[in-house]
Amino acid sequence: MSDVLKQFVMPKTNLFGPGAIQEVGKRLNDLEVKKTLIVTDEGLHKLGLSEQIANIITAAGIDVAIFPKAEPNPTDQNIEDGIAVYHAENCDSIVSLGGGSAHDAAKGIGLIASNGGRIHDYEGVDKSENPLVPLIAINTTAGTASEMTRFTIITDTARKVKMAIVDKHVTPLVSINDPELMIGLPPALTAATGVDALTHAIESFVSTNATPITDACTEKVLQLVPEFLPRAYANGADLEAREQMVYAQFLAGMAFNNASLGYVHAIAHQLGGFYNLPHGVCNAILLPHVCRFNLTARTERFARIAELLGENVEGISKRDAAEKAITAIEKLSKDLNIPSGFRELGAKDEDIEVLAKNAMLDVCAATNPRKATLEDIKQIITAAMGPVGKPTESLEAVVLS
Ligand SMILES: [Fe+2]
């Protein structure tokens, strides 16, 4: 597609609300499939959620196989294992069940099922020839929005790099967002995934590819997140907060799926791939640092972000108002107990050079509003390393408590 043309891509059908998962069997029947592969992670499988979905599907007369091994940061090997099960079980469709990882793994498996080759062949933009096998994505976090995007992120284990695959063909046919599935999400995961959605909104709002359509999506996200993310974090059973965060993360997905992202994601992909850190936590730590770098390139827009996030910007200059966007983000991160830096998660100063070099090659870097040198990216990562001290002993304690 020409660089000048804009496009707007999203799933054809999107279902929202309590009880929405009950629709999955009917929607598969509409697609005239015979056997579907449920791609999920071990945790949700052990909780019995994949069995619950399998029962809904078999009740609709469709056979089911389950691949419960989508890893938190899905790898190339993970995709190979999944495609082997897909073929061995003679599947003709996929249902992904989870947050970003299950959807990303399912999209990778679907790409190979429809196009052959290895997942590495599809790194970059629109590299596949054929549409994906039918994919219905059931979301359990709010969120990566991977249930509705054309993005899939797969770790290349040899290079220890997250490959960003942006391909219109990986867009699911149907997305399902049922907030009742999110009630049990632990507070730290609620916080990390919620700040991921906020990051999508901010990066797409200041992207060089933003349009009035993506701006409209973003403006609503920036109103919803400050009200409902702290509520969902404080009380996971607050169904109204969960439902409003579903809409916030979905709108943020609509924005970044089309305007794309920036250096927060370009750098977060490297830290996540290198140290196997959760995506949302990486974004949350990087967000204020990248905003500070981008501030002069989009001063008006950062001033608007501050206003939408609830900061009082009356009677002050645009520049001062823009600074308040960073203040608002930092306050929210503090309220959500986001880790203060990568050092406490085990990141090392000697890796900064290679992380920065790889970040500059990431597809998300292309739409960042201010172009950075390698030195700039190194400075951003250095600033995001946080306080010097002993690394936190258990990452699990930080991200999954
Ligand atoms: Fe993200």
Side-chain angles (χ1 to χ4, degrees):
M1 197 183 78
S2 152
D3 286 344
V4 181
L5 286 179
K6 305 289 185 188
Q7 61 177 342
F8 197 83
V9 178
M10 63 183 286
K12 279 186 181 154
T13 306
N14 305 281
L15 306 174
F16 303 92
I21 53 165
Q22 299 301 328
E23 278 284 303
V24 62
K26 181 179 178 302
R27 300 292 166 158
L28 282 169
N29 260 329
D30 291 346
L31 296 168
E32 300 182 344
V33 303
K34 292 191 166 47
K35 185 165 187 177
T36 200
L37 180 68
I38 296 178
V39 175
T40 192
D41 61 59
E42 223 168 359
L44 292 177
H45 187 58
K46 281 186 183 154
L47 283 174
L49 197 56
S50 45
E51 196 184 336
Q52 190 187 337
I53 301 296
N55 289 339
I56 297 168
I57 296 171
T58 50
I62 296 159
D63 289 335
V64 171
I66 301 178
F67 178 64
K69 293 182 180 162
E71 291 167 16
N73 286 311
T75 63
D76 40 13
Q77 184 58 49
N78 213 201
I79 302 302
E80 309 257 321
D81 295 345
I83 194 72
V85 175
Y86 183 90
H87 288 312
E89 295 282 347
N90 286 317
C91 295
D92 59 4
S93 54
I94 302 175
V95 168
S96 56
L97 171 68
S101 309
H103 305 310
D104 283 8
K107 290 169 177 178
I109 293 165
L111 259 184
I112 308 302
S114 300
N115 290 275
R118 296 178 71 217
I119 193 66
H120 309 76
D121 302 338
Y122 304 99
E123 184 177 8
V125 180
D126 287 340
K127 294 284 176 67
S128 73
E129 294 268 317
N130 306 317
L132 212 68
V133 296
L135 169 62
I136 295 183
I138 302 173
N139 194 22
T140 60
T141 69
T144 68
S146 185
E147 84 285 1
M148 55 79 66
T149 68
R150 62 193 170 112
F151 285 67
T152 185
I153 309 296
I154 308 293
T155 300
D156 178 333
T157 44
R159 287 187 293 151
K160 284 174 90 174
V161 166
K162 280 193 172 190
M163 297 181 285
I165 297 165
V166 186
D167 193 316
K168 60 183 179 297
H169 287 146
V170 306
T171 309
L173 280 180
V174 180
S175 79
I176 298 180
N177 269 287
D178 186 334
E180 284 180 344
L181 296 184
M182 298 164 196
I183 292 293
L185 210 61
L189 213 49
T190 300
T193 50
V195 178
D196 186 24
L198 176 69
T199 308
H200 295 154
I202 292 174
E203 290 217 282
S204 54
F205 196 59
V206 300
S207 157
T208 56
N209 229 8
T211 69
I213 301 172
T214 59
D215 288 350
C217 298
T218 295
E219 294 224 356
K220 189 66 186 171
V221 180
L222 296 176
Q223 290 169 290
L224 290 171
V225 168
E227 180 175 357
F228 293 106
L229 179 54
R231 265 177 62 175
Y233 177 74
N235 175 12
D238 183 338
L239 192 60
E240 187 196 7
R242 292 293 191 188
E243 187 159 17
Q244 293 304 310
M245 278 307 297
V246 155
Y247 286 111
Q249 70 91 32
F250 191 92
L251 283 159
M254 287 169 70
F256 91 81
N257 200 36
N258 298 288
S260 198
L261 296 160
Y263 286 146
V264 179
H265 274 74
I267 301 170
H269 290 155
Q270 313 319 318
L271 284 138
F274 208 85
Y275 303 112
N276 200 23
L277 298 174
H279 174 66
V281 173
C282 293
N283 279 339
I285 295 171
L286 284 161
L287 183 60
H289 301 286
V290 175
C291 287
R292 199 164 280 121
F293 176 77
N294 284 335
L295 207 68
T296 52
R298 288 290 186 276
T299 307
E300 291 256 346
R301 286 194 165 234
F302 279 107
R304 178 72 180 138
I305 290 169
E307 194 181 353
L308 289 162
L309 289 177
E311 293 293 313
N312 183 2
V313 296
E314 258 185 57
I316 61 173
S317 70
K318 290 284 182 202
R319 175 59 203 250
D320 288 347
E323 295 273 357
K324 284 197 167 195
I326 298 170
T327 313
I329 292 163
E330 286 176 335
K331 272 192 280 189
L332 184 65
S333 285
K334 200 155 183 281
D335 288 347
L336 299 171
N337 289 310
I338 298 290
S340 58
F342 289 110
R343 196 169 277 115
E344 71 175 274
L345 305 180
K348 300 200 169 51
D349 290 334
E350 61 258 37
D351 298 329
I352 290 175
E353 178 88 23
V354 67
L355 291 166
K357 278 184 179 161
N358 288 332
M360 292 191 78
L361 301 174
D362 189 284
V363 71
C364 294
T367 44
N368 194 79
R370 180 179 170 192
K371 291 298 155 222
T373 61
L374 179 64
E375 206 46 48
D376 292 330
I377 300 286
K378 281 162 64 178
Q379 279 180 19
I380 290 169
I381 301 175
T382 303
M385 290 295 277
V388 179
K390 204 170 151 226
T392 301
E393 284 185 3
S394 166
L395 175 60
E396 229 165 294
V398 176
V399 298
L400 296 176
S401 60

